[in-house]
Amino acid sequence: MKDLERMAVSLNFGDQTFEVGELVSKDQKIFFKYYPDFLDAGLPISPIKMPLSDEILVPDIQVFDSLFGVFNDSLPDGWGRLLIDRALFARKINPENITPLHRLSLVGNGGMGALTYHPANDQLTEELELIKLDLIAEETKKILAGEETKYIEELINLAGSSGGARPKVFVGYNAKNGKLLPYLKELPPNFEHWLIKFSSSSDPNDIAQIEYAYYKMAIDAGIEMSDCQLFEGQSGRVYFGTKRFDRLGNQRIHLHSAAGLMHDNFRLSNMDYGHLMDAAFQLEKHVGAYSKILRLAAFNIYAHNRDDHSKNFSFLMDARGNWKLAPAYDLTFSFSSHGYHSTTVVGEGKSPGKKQLLELAKIFGVKDVDEIINQVKEVVSRWNQYAEESGVGKYSKERIKEAITRRLAF
């Protein structure tokens, strides 16, 4: 691929576009400078690490391939990155020789959130004529097993810049007639932007039903989430899907993960729920932000979701520069590789419980902490009900019940 030393960044809300600034690669560093007109607009795309300034900016850490976290949020990781690398190898291009700016050019205007990148490189993308969930599931298994697939280009387009380890695709979904369309940047009337997940090689067969049960449980626990549902393939297999919260019709919303916002290396994270509470308050400018994070912490503790790393929390900014905590996502039963919560609660990662939640609430002055904890525990204690309603298998239901029962004791 040709050398790429400069890249323009725009903020595209769908009906309004702002030219943000320019990324420049030099001496193995990537610099960024806001355009003067964008400074006048006063839209803080990354207020903690990239405050609006007329200076040339450079990241304070190198964990995001020399990019600021807000731009790294646009790049696919996990499954999406695997697809891109497989396609590059097929073209006899070594992914190690692809720079971060090259990868942003592949994102172009098809990434999560509202940031877009120019010049765009669309050479790796094509579109499927229709969505066949079972076919996609089989092809993702081949990719994960290192086998060849003739659908690599289509999978790249469908995966967009999605993150996370589990295979997933972007689709258009019409709830009125149940039709699915391949990912299109502009959807026809009555279609909405959704994301559908597929199982990885380490997932149980009923992973979709488990995540759907957790969605229903989280809603009843007072946690805001986007609409979710199960989609059924022709084989009868089901897949978990969720409506994208970075799209409102064909309008776009700026998205920033907690990892990117605070420059936290989510694979070797030092983040605490206290950091999240502080960041949420800085952005929302309302004490209600504290309660929302505390409720999430309580749910992840008692529902045994230990994969609560900093890329699994995000914030949204509208065209007026107003920020809010994004709806919760990736809430499901999980262990971590080291047996600890990825995000600690006042420093406790192994077995946090009510003691740590009360201490966290005291630090930030959360008055309704007892109500939050009691509501979450009461809902989570009814796991069997949610599991049965969602079609979770007997083995998974019992295994998760045992783990939740242990957590409720803390």
Side-chain angles (χ1 to χ4, degrees), residues 3 21 26 62 86 91 103 146 159 214 258 289 326 334 346 406:
D3 289 342
K26 186 176 181 181
Q62 301 300 309
R86 286 287 298 272
R91 286 176 165 78
R103 291 188 181 274
Y214 267 66
S334 62
V346 289
R406 287 198 303 268

Side-chain angles (χ1 to χ4, degrees), residues 35-249:
Y35 292 137
D37 287 348
F38 186 76
L39 294 176
D40 295 337
L43 294 173
I45 62 169
S46 187
I48 294 178
K49 294 298 182 178
M50 277 181 55
L52 296 173
S53 166
D54 60 2
E55 299 179 357
I56 296 174
L57 306 177
V58 62
D60 55 3
I61 57 174
Q62 301 300 309
V63 299
F64 299 123
D65 293 329
S66 300
L67 291 168
F68 278 99
V70 70
F71 305 128
N72 185 73
D73 279 345
S74 297
L75 292 176
D77 60 22
W79 170 247
R81 188 176 180 111
L82 173 63
L83 288 179
I84 293 291
D85 289 354
R86 286 287 298 272
L88 291 170
F89 274 125
R91 286 176 165 78
K92 301 189 183 332
I93 299 172
N94 186 346
E96 296 296 323
N97 296 330
I98 301 301
T99 69
L101 294 192
H102 280 131
R103 291 188 181 274
L104 287 175
S105 76
L106 293 172
V107 170
N109 66 348
M112 296 285 287
L115 290 179
T116 61
Y117 302 91
H118 317 278
N121 186 333
D122 297 323
Q123 71 180 47
L124 293 181
T125 63
E126 296 177 2
E127 292 176 1
L128 280 173
E129 294 180 0
L130 52 96
I131 292 290
K132 294 182 179 178
L133 296 179
D134 292 335
L135 171 64
I136 295 172
E138 291 305 315
E139 297 306 314
T140 58
K141 288 180 182 178
K142 291 181 182 178
I143 293 289
L144 292 172
E147 300 174 12
E148 296 296 325
T149 170
K150 64 181 180 180
Y151 293 105
I152 187 72
E153 310 290 344
E154 291 90 339
L155 288 172
I156 288 173
N157 183 60
L158 290 170
S161 61
S162 58
R166 283 176 61 191
K168 53 186 67 71
V169 297
F170 294 147
V171 300
Y173 174 55
N174 187 329
K176 293 182 178 180
N177 57 23
K179 286 187 177 180
L180 295 174
L181 290 177
Y183 172 59
L184 300 169
K185 298 177 182 69
E186 297 290 328
L187 291 176
N190 298 321
F191 280 84
E192 296 176 314
H193 291 274
W194 278 63
L195 180 152
I196 298 179
K197 296 183 178 182
F198 300 87
S199 60
S200 70
S201 56
S202 60
D203 286 326
N205 292 331
D206 55 355
I207 183 63
Q209 293 92 328
I210 293 170
E211 188 164 2
Y212 187 62
Y214 267 66
Y215 155 71
K216 297 176 75 172
M217 198 159 58
I219 291 294
D220 285 352
I223 294 171
E224 180 189 1
M225 292 189 71
S226 286
D227 292 343
C228 300
Q229 71 175 65
L230 296 176
F231 292 85
E232 187 172 334
Q234 290 183 338
S235 67
R237 285 181 291 179
V238 296
Y239 309 93
F240 179 84
T242 182
K243 183 179 176 182
R244 288 176 60 178
F245 50 71
D246 66 324
R247 296 290 187 270
L248 186 60

Side-chain angles (χ1 to χ4, degrees), residues 214 217 302-304 333 380-385 387-388 392-408:
Y214 267 66
M217 198 159 58
Y302 294 120
H304 204 288
F333 178 75
V380 171
S381 71
R382 292 189 275 118
W383 157 251
N384 275 1
Q385 170 194 327
E388 290 172 9
V392 176
K394 181 178 179 180
Y395 173 78
S396 294
K397 183 174 72 173
E398 294 302 319
R399 176 174 178 242
I400 295 172
K401 178 184 177 181
E402 182 180 339
I404 285 177
T405 300
R406 287 198 303 268
R407 296 308 310 144
L408 289 172

Side-chain angles (χ1 to χ4, degrees), residues 321-391:
N322 299 313
W323 285 92
K324 70 172 185 176
L325 180 69
Y329 56 97
D330 286 356
L331 300 183
T332 191
F333 178 75
S334 62
F335 291 92
S336 61
S337 59
H338 44 73
Y340 287 70
H341 278 271
S342 298
T343 298
T344 58
V345 186
V346 289
E348 174 61 40
K350 185 177 182 180
S351 296
K354 186 172 183 178
K355 175 184 176 182
Q356 287 76 23
L357 289 171
L358 290 174
E359 185 177 345
L360 186 63
K362 183 178 180 180
I363 293 171
F364 289 92
V366 180
K367 303 299 184 185
D368 54 349
V369 56
D370 287 315
E371 178 184 342
I372 290 172
I373 293 174
N374 291 338
Q375 181 185 1
V376 170
K377 292 183 73 172
E378 191 279 327
V379 169
V380 171
S381 71
R382 292 189 275 118
W383 157 251
N384 275 1
Q385 170 194 327
Y386 296 101
E388 290 172 9
E389 291 175 354
S390 305

